[in-house]
Amino acid sequence: MTINTDDQYADGESKTTISSSRRYSTSSFQDQSMEDDGINATLTNDKATLIQVWRPKSYGSVKGQIPAQDRLTYTWREIDVFGQAATDAKSREPLCSRLRHCFTRQRLVKDFNPRKHLLKNVTGVARSGELLAVMGSSGAGKTTLLNALAFRSPPGVKISPNAVRALNGVPVTAEQMRARCAYVQQDDLFIPSLTTKEHLMFQALLRMGRDVPHSVKMHRVDEVLQELSLVKCADTIIGAPGRIKGLSGGERKRLAFASETLTDPHLLLCDEPTSGLDSFMAHSVLQVLKGMAMKGKTIILTIHQPSSELYCLFDRILLVAEGRVAFLGSPYQSAEFFSQLGIPCPPNYNPADFYVQMLAIAPNKETECRETIKKICDSFAVSPIARDIIETASLVNGAGVGIELARAKHQTNDPYLLQPMEGVDSTGYRASWWTQFYCILWRSWLSVLKDPMLVKVRLLQTAMVASLIGSIYFGQVLDQDGVMNINGSLFLFLTNMTFQNVFAVINVFSAELPVFLREKRSRLYRVDTYFLGKTIAELPLFIAVPFVFTSITYPMIGLKAGVSHYLTTLFIVTLVANVSTSFGYLISCASSSISMALSVGPPVVIPFLIFGGFFLNSASVPAYFKYLSYLSWFRYANEALLINQWAAVGDGEIACTRANVTCPASGEIILETFNFRIEDFALDIGCLFALIILFRLGALFCLWLRSRSKE
């Protein structure tokens, strides 16, 4: 027996491994695993040696082989994927017929869309320590297969209930799969205003376990920057193609890859990781993947016509054509298989190019190409390689136990066949609630500070509008004309704060919706932490804007003198700004795009504006609109502002300069004209607070529904 104490962890602790000097194969360590009080025990097949290892999760570059109990073999069987086929039959149906079907049972028949068979009975295996490349022509089903394996199929795509996806022979759910694998998707989605390092810091804080020290996470960020040659652009903003200049296409692709490799996942799925990269960087990325596979990780990637140099790095290839498996095996086996079919790869020819050309649908030769593809797929389905794959996909740890027996084991107290994840709660989140909230708040605050449209332009615009309104209503005196002008200027306070703030945030959640949905599906954070962090980060701006506006217009117009009256007006205007901001959040979360949010915003605000008491007396609201008027913040804010302005104005303070003209004798008469009561001031303030909470809860609920619809 030997005792090794040389390996050091990032936090300074050492590990002690008691093992036999006898050498075993990789498969011998995958028989049975147990976990008891932080000690992992693994029995070899001959039951001769007990290996007990206690170790914290070590993030960073893997210095040695992954322990046998942590290795993952991914198998899938009988995967059939269906998608809704496009049809325009319903659009050609007469309007009267469509209206009739809405109220009859025939709607079920008319609304049925035929399904398109995207993947057809796909079975395969990806072993630990191997790099599996999925290849095929465009539209063959590569990305569809990868989405199905990652449990991330888009809405409208259905997977057959008979499909079995298992890790180490244990059928897994979407939550279990997401906790154990990383998925690099083809399209790159980032927050444009963040730098490369800030993005990786955000990802590291949320992806790495909650028990990992902060220093280890930051050290891992520096390692990933170095490994993927991102050091020179670490402080460069990511940007957005066509809008904000930032990283190049290759750097964005490497950053997407770096985000997923922060945690050294034992199972990694990559959709076109080399697209947009030059030959040198593509080879560098695949060298990193190859090195990870050699340490014991399971790597599955899709790639479109790789070079011969990249092709040599693949341990196994999976050829897909027309939704079927044309071949799955080693590159050497593929050469033999196609030679037996009478279509050998020519000498000095890139095998990847040859296979993709053979499995593609050429223009004007659709029938001939489909017959060739059917011949290749049918031949592979009955080949010895395919039979071995089907047999492997039906086993548990290679021990001959079926999937049904594995499920039965999980229903009893038998030891787990799949090691439980450390640092992951029951919902699949690695970071705590407070950590998620802090990270979202930090990222959102950086976005606010770096976006000049949200700070400099907003404040400048507010100052200009306030100066214009103050100049128009400058120096009002208390006479019959001044009363009308002051009331109109106070209502302009409300309309300006409403439209300025509603349209300032109406695109906040709509613009970041794709990023939010992807990060939410990756279980980086919850919906409530994202919403709270995003809204609180923008709160200082919605306090500064009312302060600038009120501080300029209040003295210029000559409103009620006194610090208390000024502070009360500022408080009410700030409440209005935040109510309108909350309403803008609601529209943004309920809308599927920015254009829809901008179209819905103005028509929805206008009815609340009418109920403010300036254009329609509060006592004249129709009974059928009475309840809707209770949601109008114009009503409560206008009443509170007028009470603050006129409640202390007594008899004789308003000068009547013209005869035969209606002139209020006191501030109380002005309030009675609008049907406002001084006693309702506290109620108005309370209702404004209630509307802030109500609209934000509604926005949170809409955002939660949108995230659930994309799961």
Side-chain angles (χ1 to χ4, degrees):
M1 303 292 289
T2 59
I3 300 178
N4 301 323
T5 59
D6 297 329
D7 296 336
Q8 298 291 326
Y9 287 91
D11 55 2
E13 296 182 3
S14 62
K15 67 177 181 179
T16 301
T17 306
I18 305 175
S19 62
S20 173
S21 59
R22 181 178 177 181
R23 187 172 182 178
Y24 295 95
S25 63
T26 302
S27 61
S28 65
F29 291 94
Q30 298 178 350
D31 185 3
Q32 185 180 6
S33 60
M34 297 177 290
E35 179 171 296
D36 184 20
D37 297 332
I39 298 178
N40 297 326
T42 304
L43 266 63
T44 58
N45 282 342
D46 55 6
K47 308 294 190 298
T49 307
L50 177 67
I51 302 176
Q52 292 183 341
V53 180
W54 182 90
R55 57 182 184 80
K57 175 65 177 175
S58 177
Y59 290 97
S61 298
V62 182
K63 302 302 182 183
Q65 294 290 330
I66 297 178
Q69 66 270 17
D70 290 338
R71 297 194 176 199
L72 298 175
T73 296
Y74 192 17
T75 57
W76 56 93
R77 189 180 65 180
E78 299 178 5
I79 293 184
D80 287 89
V81 179
F82 300 89
Q84 291 183 353
T87 177
D88 57 350
K90 187 177 179 180
S91 62
R92 296 194 302 265
E93 191 178 5
L95 178 61
C96 57
S97 300
R98 280 184 280 172
L99 292 176
R100 184 176 67 254
H101 295 326
C102 291
F103 302 98
T104 61
R105 293 186 178 182
Q106 296 179 5
R107 179 187 178 189
L108 298 175
V109 178
K110 291 293 182 180
D111 287 349
F112 173 77
N113 289 328
R115 297 188 302 174
K116 185 177 181 181
H117 206 168
L118 302 178
L119 292 181
K120 307 167 185 176
N121 194 23
V122 177
T123 299
V125 57
R127 295 180 174 85
S128 171
E130 294 181 349
L131 183 62
L132 173 63
V134 182
M135 295 190 300
S137 61
S138 298
K142 302 186 297 296
T143 301
T144 303
L145 174 60
L146 208 65
N147 288 334
L149 297 182
F151 289 86
R152 299 195 185 189
S153 297
V157 176
K158 303 297 181 183
I159 301 178
S160 62
N162 296 329
V164 177
R165 288 156 286 184
L167 289 174
N168 292 349
V170 180
V172 291
T173 62
E175 297 295 340
Q176 295 170 337
M177 186 64 182
R178 288 168 183 166
R180 287 173 168 82
C181 84
Y183 186 23
V184 181
Q185 300 189 46
Q186 187 171 358
D187 50 336
D188 305 325
L189 297 176
F190 303 105
I191 303 297
S193 56
L194 294 184
T195 64
T196 301
K197 188 169 185 179
E198 288 169 350
H199 172 78
L200 290 179
M201 290 171 60
F202 174 82
Q203 297 286 327
L205 291 173
L206 294 181
R207 288 180 182 273
M208 301 176 73
R210 62 188 67 187
D211 298 329
V212 180
H214 184 270
S215 59
V216 177
K217 295 179 181 179
M218 296 302 102
H219 178 67
R220 177 57 182 161
V221 170
D222 295 334
E223 280 189 341
V224 170
L225 288 172
Q226 185 69 35
E227 290 173 356
L228 293 175
S229 302
L230 293 171
V231 176
K232 66 176 182 179
C233 58
D235 298 324
T236 304
I237 65 170
I238 299 174
R243 293 193 300 113
I244 304 174
K245 187 177 181 180
L247 300 180
S248 64
E251 290 170 338
R252 291 172 62 89
K253 178 62 66 175
R254 279 180 279 154
L255 180 58
F257 182 75
S259 303
E260 299 293 343
T261 58
L262 278 169
T263 56
D264 273 336
H266 294 167
L267 175 60
L268 182 62
L269 285 74
C270 306
D271 189 13
E272 298 282 356
T274 60
S275 62
L277 302 181
D278 55 60
S279 58
F280 174 77
M281 288 312 306
H283 188 268
S284 299
V285 169
L286 280 187
Q287 283 283 13
V288 174
L289 289 174
K290 182 65 174 180
M292 296 172 65
M294 293 176 65
K295 303 301 181 182
K297 298 180 184 297
T298 306
I299 312 293
I300 306 175
L301 62 92
T302 62
I303 192 167
H304 185 69
Q305 286 187 295
S307 63
S308 57
E309 187 178 13
L310 299 182
Y311 182 80
C312 296
L313 298 177
F314 302 148
D315 297 302
R316 290 182 179 271
I317 60 173
L318 170 58
L319 301 179
V320 183
E322 295 290 297
R324 298 183 62 187
V325 177
F327 179 79
L328 174 55
S330 66
Y332 175 76
Q333 291 175 324
S334 67
E336 288 188 343
F337 174 73
F338 280 90
S339 296
Q340 293 174 358
L341 295 179
I343 44 177
C345 178
N348 300 324
Y349 199 90
N350 184 4
D353 292 338
F354 174 75
Y355 297 148
V356 171
Q357 292 173 7
M358 291 300 303
L359 299 173
I361 304 296
N364 302 323
K365 296 182 180 180
E366 288 84 357
T367 304
E368 180 182 350
C369 291
R370 285 193 170 89
E371 290 178 355
T372 302
I373 292 174
K374 184 177 183 301
K375 174 185 175 183
I376 295 174
C377 295
D378 292 343
S379 300
F380 177 75
V382 297
S383 66
I385 302 177
R387 289 196 295 268
D388 292 340
I389 293 173
I390 295 175
E391 182 180 355
T392 303
S394 304
L395 302 180
V396 174
N397 286 348
V401 185
I403 295 294
E404 293 75 9
L405 182 56
R407 289 174 175 160
K409 278 179 174 262
H410 277 279
Q411 297 173 358
T412 64
N413 296 325
D414 289 348
Y416 286 105
L417 296 172
L418 193 63
Q419 292 293 322
M421 294 297 296
E422 299 176 0
V424 180
D425 59 15
S426 57
T427 57
Y429 297 103
R430 294 181 179 271
S432 63
W433 190 94
W434 286 107
T435 302
Q436 297 176 26
F437 172 72
Y438 165 77
C439 293
I440 293 294
L441 182 63
W442 171 71
R443 186 178 73 172
S444 302
W445 179 244
L446 287 178
S447 300
V448 171
L449 292 180
K450 294 181 179 181
D451 193 344
M453 293 297 293
L454 288 177
V455 183
K456 299 178 182 178
V457 175
R458 286 286 309 280
L459 294 179
L460 179 61
Q461 174 192 6
T462 301
M464 293 177 60
V465 173
S467 301
L468 178 61
I469 294 177
S471 301
I472 295 174
Y473 292 95
F474 184 79
Q476 296 296 319
V477 295
L478 289 183
D479 55 14
Q480 63 269 26
D481 296 330
V483 169
M484 184 181 67
N485 293 338
I486 289 175
N487 292 340
S489 65
L490 290 177
F491 198 78
L492 276 180
F493 279 32
L494 308 181
T495 56
N496 179 71
M497 283 294 101
T498 295
F499 286 101
Q500 182 178 356
N501 290 288
V502 165
F503 287 98
V505 302
I506 204 169
N507 64 337
V508 168
F509 291 100
S510 301
E512 290 189 7
L513 186 62
V515 179
F516 162 72
L517 293 177
R518 173 173 294 187
E519 293 177 342
K520 173 63 174 59
R521 295 184 70 180
S522 298
R523 294 299 186 267
L524 293 188
Y525 46 74
R526 297 170 173 83
V527 179
D528 54 345
T529 56
Y530 173 76
F531 184 82
L532 289 175
K534 188 70 178 175
T535 55
I536 293 178
E538 297 179 347
L539 183 61
L541 183 61
F542 299 115
I543 295 177
V545 168
F547 174 78
V548 172
F549 182 84
T550 307
S551 299
I552 295 175
T553 54
Y554 197 92
M556 292 183 67
I557 297 175
L559 299 178
K560 185 66 176 178
V563 178
S564 60
H565 290 283
Y566 162 74
L567 294 178
T568 302
T569 302
L570 176 60
F571 179 65
I572 296 172
V573 173
T574 303
L575 286 179
V576 172
N578 284 274
V579 172
S580 57
T581 300
S582 303
F583 189 73
Y585 287 147
L586 177 59
I587 297 177
S588 181
C589 294
S591 303
S592 59
S593 63
I594 298 178
S595 58
M596 178 180 292
L598 293 174
S599 302
V600 171
V604 176
V605 174
I606 295 301
F608 297 113
L609 178 67
I610 297 175
F611 295 137
F614 188 80
F615 301 105
L616 180 68
N617 192 280
S618 300
S620 303
V621 177
Y624 45 85
F625 280 127
K626 199 72 175 178
Y627 294 102
L628 183 61
S629 68
Y630 293 150
L631 298 177
S632 173
W633 59 92
F634 291 96
R635 168 185 177 180
Y636 304 117
N638 192 30
E639 183 175 16
L641 285 176
L642 293 182
I643 291 173
N644 178 63
Q645 174 66 27
W646 303 116
V649 177
D651 294 337
E653 294 186 32
I654 301 177
C656 297
T657 58
R658 295 195 303 271
N660 298 326
V661 176
T662 302
C663 180
S666 65
E668 185 176 354
I669 296 178
I670 297 175
L671 296 177
E672 290 179 356
T673 304
F674 287 96
N675 199 33
F676 291 157
R677 298 188 306 169
I678 300 177
E679 297 80 8
D680 292 340
F681 181 82
L683 178 62
D684 294 332
I685 300 299
C687 289
L688 289 177
F689 274 109
L691 288 179
I692 292 176
I693 298 175
L694 178 63
F695 288 150
R696 299 214 174 195
L697 288 178
L700 176 61
F701 180 71
C702 291
L703 191 63
W704 177 79
L705 285 181
R706 189 165 295 279
S707 67
R708 288 293 300 270
S709 66
K710 300 296 182 180
E711 290 289 341

